[in-house]
Amino acid sequence: MQRTTQKLLSNRLLLPFLLILQMAPVLRYYDVLKYALKSRRAARKGNYDDQKNYYVLMAKEDSYVSLLRIFECFLEAVPQQILQICIVLVEKKHGSTLQIVHQSAAIASSTIGIAWAMASYHKNVRIAFENRKNIGNTGTVLQFLWHIMITVSRILSISLAAIVWPQSTGIFCMVHWLLMTFWIFKYQNVTFCIPSNRFEESRIMRFFFSTILGLVYIFTYLSPSEGQGNSKNRYLGYYGVFLVENIVAVVIWANTGTDQNQWYYYHLMIGSIAPFFIGILFMVIYYKFFHPHTTYKYNNAEPYTNTNNVNTSISDILG
């Protein structure tokens, strides 16, 4: 069964236009809706095998959409937020109160959307992968709080550094991107977007995907290898570097900026660092008490099992 997305994106004449118009998420949503309706119709007819198969396909497509939303958030929305914060702080004396309130509301709503995209992604991936128990509502809320705190800390820190040293901040982000790309490609063993039977021959695809993840890693951590060990070490390594970079950015702004006498001076300093520790606290609570593995051990419940293997490739995600 060939998906609608595959049919359209396999057409070389349509492909450039679909990519330029960013139609991939729309096509994915269409596939999600199509499989959901087919699953529902099969259930009404009492054909439960087809119902399960269509449900698995729907969950698989939904996980693709979630990943595309993550890329959209961190490659498009977050840079815009940083730019908006810089504009608000640099032109604070020239903009009207209504304009500042409007920009602040836009920044806040976008941040909430980013955090929800992360929480939704983790939930959808667990639904799509076989032998994975779903994340409960409390776990989803904790994931949302974890990611919104981490994102606020990162966005504010980079914004403050960009106000005083815009070019150096851009260079720093590029260096961070290159280092993260190398780390992902060399040491993190990207597997969840590479079919197991093509892993050795997919180095170019793995490198391409590592470069995209490297850009996301400027702002947050996204696990590239579902179900593998050493998650604790990866989190410690990434968030250790993350915290040092945030502190350096805030110190640069605090000592070289011109906002020392402004009412928001200490508020921004605290707002750039404190949310990081609050986010880490939510992360620890999630993994300690509400992670699906822990819940499974305590409740002795059977984990959700899909009927099909849903290992994916980058070409699957993009079409």
Side-chain angles (χ1 to χ4, degrees), residues 18-283:
L18 294 175
L19 292 179
I20 291 173
L21 296 175
Q22 299 182 10
M23 291 295 294
V26 177
L27 297 175
R28 292 294 179 193
Y29 277 121
Y30 171 77
D31 284 333
V32 170
L33 179 60
K34 177 180 69 176
Y35 291 131
L37 292 174
K38 287 184 176 181
S39 178
R40 188 174 182 84
R41 283 198 295 266
R44 288 177 175 175
K45 294 178 181 178
N47 191 341
Y48 297 112
D49 288 336
D50 282 351
Q51 178 198 8
K52 291 180 180 179
N53 290 335
Y54 284 127
Y55 180 85
V56 170
L57 289 171
M58 179 195 71
K60 183 178 178 182
E61 292 296 328
D62 202 28
S63 68
Y64 292 159
V65 172
S66 298
L67 186 59
L68 290 174
R69 279 202 302 265
I70 293 293
F71 290 155
E72 179 185 6
C73 285
F74 287 98
L75 303 184
E76 180 180 347
V78 171
Q80 291 179 0
Q81 285 181 277
I82 293 173
L83 178 60
Q84 283 183 308
I85 292 173
C86 291
I87 292 174
V88 169
L89 294 177
V90 170
E91 299 185 354
K92 55 186 176 295
K93 295 181 180 180
H94 305 288
S96 65
T97 302
L98 180 61
Q99 180 183 355
I100 293 175
V101 170
H102 178 268
Q103 289 177 315
S104 301
I107 293 169
S109 62
S110 181
T111 304
I112 292 172
I114 291 168
W116 181 250
M118 288 291 292
S120 175
Y121 166 76
H122 284 92
K123 189 177 184 69
N124 289 339
V125 164
R126 283 201 157 267
I127 293 174
F129 273 78
E130 59 183 351
N131 298 325
R132 303 283 176 143
K133 190 175 181 185
N134 297 347
I135 298 175
N137 293 334
T138 304
T140 300
V141 171
L142 287 170
Q143 283 229 5
F144 171 79
L145 295 173
W146 157 22
H147 289 295
I148 195 171
M149 292 292 106
I150 293 292
T151 302
V152 166
S153 174
R154 192 60 163 180
I155 290 175
L156 283 179
S157 299
I158 294 178
S159 300
L160 295 181
I163 291 173
V164 290
W165 287 358
Q167 293 181 345
S168 298
T169 303
I171 294 173
F172 155 77
C173 289
M174 183 173 295
V175 171
H176 182 98
W177 168 42
L178 295 176
L179 291 176
M180 290 295 106
T181 298
F182 175 77
W183 182 44
I184 296 166
F185 180 74
K186 188 71 175 179
Y187 297 105
Q188 294 217 45
N189 193 27
V190 177
T191 57
F192 76 82
C193 283
I194 304 294
S196 58
N197 61 339
R198 294 179 54 193
F199 184 73
E200 293 300 328
E201 63 186 66
S202 302
R203 290 181 62 84
I204 295 178
M205 299 295 286
R206 286 177 56 226
F207 179 76
F208 170 73
F209 192 67
S210 296
T211 58
I212 302 298
L213 272 182
L215 287 171
V216 175
Y217 273 35
I218 296 175
F219 308 106
T220 194
Y221 180 83
L222 180 67
S223 177
S225 46
E226 282 291 327
Q228 294 190 359
N230 299 322
S231 295
K232 180 180 178 180
N233 293 335
R234 293 200 299 267
Y235 276 121
L236 285 174
Y238 177 82
Y239 282 128
V241 174
F242 188 100
L243 176 60
V244 170
E245 291 173 345
N246 285 8
I247 292 175
V248 170
V250 174
V251 169
I252 288 174
W253 172 77
N255 289 279
T256 61
T258 59
D259 300 288
Q260 287 84 350
N261 296 322
Q262 298 294 331
W263 64 269
Y264 54 77
Y265 178 71
Y266 291 105
H267 293 78
L268 287 180
M269 289 182 63
I270 296 173
S272 300
I273 303 299
F276 172 83
F277 293 102
I278 298 174
I280 295 299
L281 176 62
F282 284 128
M283 181 186 74

